[in-house]
Amino acid sequence: MTRLKVASKSNPNKVAGAIAGVIKDEGKVEIVSIGAGALNQAVKAIAISRGFTAPCGIDLVCKIGFIDLEIDGNEKTGIIIIVDGIK
Amino acid sequence: MTRLKVASKSNPNKVAGAIAGVIKDEGKVEIVSIGAGALNQAVKAIAISRGFTAPCGIDLVCKIGFIDLEIDGNEKTGIIIIVDGIK
Protein backbone atom coordinates (compact mmCIF):
# COMPACT_ATOMS: atom_id res chain seq x y z
CA MET A 1 0.00 0.00 0.00
CA THR A 2 1.27 3.50 -0.75
CA ARG A 3 2.43 5.31 2.40
CA LEU A 4 2.40 9.11 2.70
CA LYS A 5 4.51 10.67 5.45
CA VAL A 6 3.11 13.93 6.79
CA ALA A 7 5.16 16.49 8.75
CA SER A 8 4.09 19.51 10.79
CA LYS A 9 5.24 21.72 7.91
CA SER A 10 3.32 19.76 5.27
CA ASN A 11 0.67 21.74 3.39
CA PRO A 12 -2.71 20.06 4.11
CA ASN A 13 -4.10 21.04 0.69
CA LYS A 14 -1.17 19.43 -1.13
CA VAL A 15 -1.36 16.32 1.04
CA ALA A 16 -5.11 16.19 0.37
CA GLY A 17 -4.41 16.20 -3.36
CA ALA A 18 -1.91 13.38 -2.94
CA ILE A 19 -4.40 11.35 -0.87
CA ALA A 20 -7.14 11.81 -3.46
CA GLY A 21 -4.77 10.79 -6.24
CA VAL A 22 -3.70 7.57 -4.55
CA ILE A 23 -7.30 6.75 -3.56
CA LYS A 24 -8.49 7.14 -7.14
CA ASP A 25 -5.62 4.94 -8.41
CA GLU A 26 -5.32 2.32 -5.68
CA GLY A 27 -8.46 2.60 -3.52
CA LYS A 28 -6.59 3.05 -0.23
CA VAL A 29 -3.57 4.80 1.28
CA GLU A 30 -1.61 4.86 4.54
CA ILE A 31 -0.89 8.20 6.23
CA VAL A 32 1.88 8.25 8.82
CA SER A 33 2.76 11.09 11.21
CA ILE A 34 4.82 11.63 14.34
CA GLY A 35 3.82 14.32 16.85
CA ALA A 36 0.76 16.50 17.38
CA GLY A 37 1.63 19.08 14.71
CA ALA A 38 2.15 16.49 11.99
CA LEU A 39 -0.98 14.57 12.99
CA ASN A 40 -2.98 17.81 12.83
CA GLN A 41 -1.87 18.39 9.23
CA ALA A 42 -2.59 14.76 8.34
CA VAL A 43 -6.13 14.86 9.74
CA LYS A 44 -6.90 18.20 8.10
CA ALA A 45 -5.62 16.78 4.79
CA ILE A 46 -7.96 13.78 5.08
CA ALA A 47 -10.95 16.06 5.76
CA ILE A 48 -10.04 18.23 2.75
CA SER A 49 -9.50 15.22 0.48
CA ARG A 50 -13.09 14.03 1.12
CA GLY A 51 -14.09 17.08 -0.91
CA PHE A 52 -11.76 15.99 -3.72
CA THR A 53 -13.03 12.40 -3.93
CA ALA A 54 -16.75 13.09 -3.26
CA PRO A 55 -17.44 14.31 -6.84
CA CYS A 56 -16.25 10.86 -8.01
CA GLY A 57 -18.73 9.22 -5.62
CA ILE A 58 -15.98 8.13 -3.25
CA ASP A 59 -16.14 8.82 0.50
CA LEU A 60 -13.17 8.22 2.80
CA VAL A 61 -13.24 6.09 5.94
CA CYS A 62 -10.26 5.68 8.24
CA LYS A 63 -8.80 3.17 10.66
CA ILE A 64 -6.46 4.66 13.24
CA GLY A 65 -3.59 2.93 15.01
CA PHE A 66 -0.13 3.32 16.52
CA ILE A 67 3.02 2.47 14.59
CA ASP A 68 6.67 2.13 15.65
CA LEU A 69 9.01 3.94 13.28
CA GLU A 70 12.79 4.16 13.26
CA ILE A 71 13.95 7.75 12.73
CA ASP A 72 17.74 8.33 12.59
CA GLY A 73 18.30 5.14 14.58
CA ASN A 74 15.78 6.07 17.30
CA GLU A 75 12.47 4.27 17.70
CA LYS A 76 9.48 6.62 17.79
CA THR A 77 5.78 5.93 18.11
CA GLY A 78 3.67 7.54 15.45
CA ILE A 79 0.09 7.39 14.28
CA ILE A 80 -0.95 5.48 11.18
CA ILE A 81 -4.25 6.25 9.50
CA ILE A 82 -5.37 3.79 6.85
CA VAL A 83 -7.73 5.61 4.51
CA ASP A 84 -10.15 3.57 2.43
CA GLY A 85 -12.14 4.94 -0.48
CA ILE A 86 -15.71 3.61 -0.43
CA LYS A 87 -18.29 3.99 -3.23
CA MET B 1 -25.57 11.00 18.58
CA THR B 2 -23.46 11.30 21.73
CA ARG B 3 -20.70 13.89 21.36
CA LEU B 4 -17.46 13.71 23.35
CA LYS B 5 -15.35 16.86 23.58
CA VAL B 6 -11.62 16.22 23.90
CA ALA B 7 -9.12 18.79 25.20
CA SER B 8 -5.32 18.84 25.09
CA LYS B 9 -5.32 17.93 28.79
CA SER B 10 -7.72 15.00 28.35
CA ASN B 11 -6.36 11.59 29.32
CA PRO B 12 -6.41 9.41 26.16
CA ASN B 13 -6.99 6.23 28.18
CA LYS B 14 -10.04 7.69 29.90
CA VAL B 15 -11.40 9.07 26.63
CA ALA B 16 -10.81 5.64 25.07
CA GLY B 17 -12.92 4.06 27.80
CA ALA B 18 -15.68 6.58 27.19
CA ILE B 19 -15.57 5.93 23.42
CA ALA B 20 -15.77 2.17 23.93
CA GLY B 21 -18.69 2.58 26.34
CA VAL B 22 -20.74 4.70 23.94
CA ILE B 23 -19.89 2.43 20.99
CA LYS B 24 -21.09 -0.65 22.88
CA ASP B 25 -24.32 1.14 23.89
CA GLU B 26 -25.12 3.20 20.79
CA GLY B 27 -22.91 1.88 17.98
CA LYS B 28 -21.38 5.26 17.11
CA VAL B 29 -20.00 8.41 18.70
CA GLU B 30 -18.85 11.89 17.67
CA ILE B 31 -15.47 13.15 18.89
CA VAL B 32 -14.86 16.89 18.71
CA SER B 33 -11.56 18.72 19.29
CA ILE B 34 -10.08 22.16 18.67
CA GLY B 35 -6.34 22.55 18.13
CA ALA B 36 -3.45 20.19 17.47
CA GLY B 37 -2.97 19.15 21.10
CA ALA B 38 -6.61 18.22 21.60
CA LEU B 39 -6.79 16.41 18.25
CA ASN B 40 -3.68 14.42 19.18
CA GLN B 41 -5.37 13.19 22.38
CA ALA B 42 -8.57 12.41 20.49
CA VAL B 43 -6.79 10.34 17.83
CA LYS B 44 -4.71 8.46 20.41
CA ALA B 45 -7.91 7.72 22.34
CA ILE B 46 -9.56 6.25 19.23
CA ALA B 47 -6.53 4.02 18.58
CA ILE B 48 -6.57 2.83 22.21
CA SER B 49 -10.32 2.22 22.19
CA ARG B 50 -9.97 -0.21 19.27
CA GLY B 51 -8.25 -2.46 21.80
CA PHE B 52 -11.23 -2.10 24.14
CA THR B 53 -13.89 -2.94 21.56
CA ALA B 54 -11.95 -5.63 19.63
CA PRO B 55 -12.62 -8.37 22.25
CA CYS B 56 -16.34 -7.77 21.61
CA GLY B 57 -15.77 -8.27 17.88
CA ILE B 58 -16.20 -4.56 17.15
CA ASP B 59 -13.67 -2.59 15.08
CA LEU B 60 -13.80 1.19 14.79
CA VAL B 61 -13.90 3.14 11.53
CA CYS B 62 -13.88 6.92 11.35
CA LYS B 63 -15.07 9.72 9.12
CA ILE B 64 -13.19 12.99 9.54
CA GLY B 65 -14.49 16.48 8.89
CA PHE B 66 -14.35 20.12 9.94
CA ILE B 67 -16.91 21.66 12.29
CA ASP B 68 -17.64 25.26 13.30
CA LEU B 69 -18.04 25.63 17.05
CA GLU B 70 -18.91 28.67 19.14
CA ILE B 71 -16.61 28.97 22.14
CA ASP B 72 -17.24 31.91 24.50
CA GLY B 73 -18.96 33.81 21.70
CA ASN B 74 -16.11 33.25 19.20
CA GLU B 75 -16.45 30.96 16.22
CA LYS B 76 -13.68 28.38 15.97
CA THR B 77 -13.06 25.63 13.47
CA GLY B 78 -12.53 22.22 15.01
CA ILE B 79 -12.25 18.65 13.83
CA ILE B 80 -15.11 16.21 14.16
CA ILE B 81 -14.43 12.49 13.97
CA ILE B 82 -17.48 10.26 13.66
CA VAL B 83 -16.54 6.83 14.99
CA ASP B 84 -18.60 3.84 13.89
CA GLY B 85 -18.44 0.44 15.53
CA ILE B 86 -18.50 -2.32 12.89
CA LYS B 87 -18.91 -6.07 13.55
Side-chain angles (χ1 to χ4, degrees):
Chain A
M1 202 185 314
T2 299
R3 175 174 290 183
L4 301 177
K5 292 174 190 171
V6 178
S8 57
K9 291 180 181 169
S10 297
N11 178 324
N13 281 298
K14 288 186 182 170
V15 177
I19 291 170
V22 178
I23 290 287
K24 286 173 191 173
D25 286 346
E26 303 173 25
K28 53 174 59 186
V29 61
E30 290 179 353
I31 319 281
V32 168
S33 61
I34 295 175
L39 177 65
N40 193 39
Q41 303 305 74
V43 169
K44 285 194 283 186
I46 294 167
I48 294 165
S49 68
R50 286 179 77 188
F52 296 166
T53 61
C56 307
I58 300 171
D59 198 3
L60 303 181
V61 297
C62 305
K63 288 192 181 182
I64 295 168
F66 296 104
I67 186 170
D68 292 325
L69 299 164
E70 197 179 301
I71 307 290
D72 299 331
N74 300 310
E75 190 155 290
K76 302 232 178 192
T77 299
I79 295 287
I80 182 167
I81 305 178
I82 298 171
V83 183
D84 242 308
I86 54 166
K87 298 210 179 191
Chain B
M1 202 186 313
T2 298
R3 177 174 290 183
L4 300 177
K5 292 175 191 169
V6 178
S8 57
K9 290 180 182 170
S10 297
N11 178 324
N13 281 298
K14 287 186 182 172
V15 177
I19 292 170
V22 178
I23 290 286
K24 286 173 192 173
D25 287 347
E26 304 174 24
K28 54 174 61 184
V29 62
E30 290 179 353
I31 319 280
V32 168
S33 61
I34 295 175
L39 178 64
N40 193 39
Q41 303 305 73
V43 169
K44 285 195 283 186
I46 293 168
I48 294 165
S49 68
R50 285 178 78 189
F52 295 165
T53 61
C56 308
I58 301 171
D59 199 4
L60 303 180
V61 298
C62 306
K63 289 191 181 183
I64 294 168
F66 296 104
I67 185 169
D68 292 325
L69 298 165
E70 197 179 301
I71 307 290
D72 300 332
N74 300 311
E75 190 155 290
K76 302 232 179 191
T77 299
I79 296 286
I80 181 166
I81 305 178
I82 297 171
V83 183
D84 243 308
I86 54 166
K87 297 209 179 195

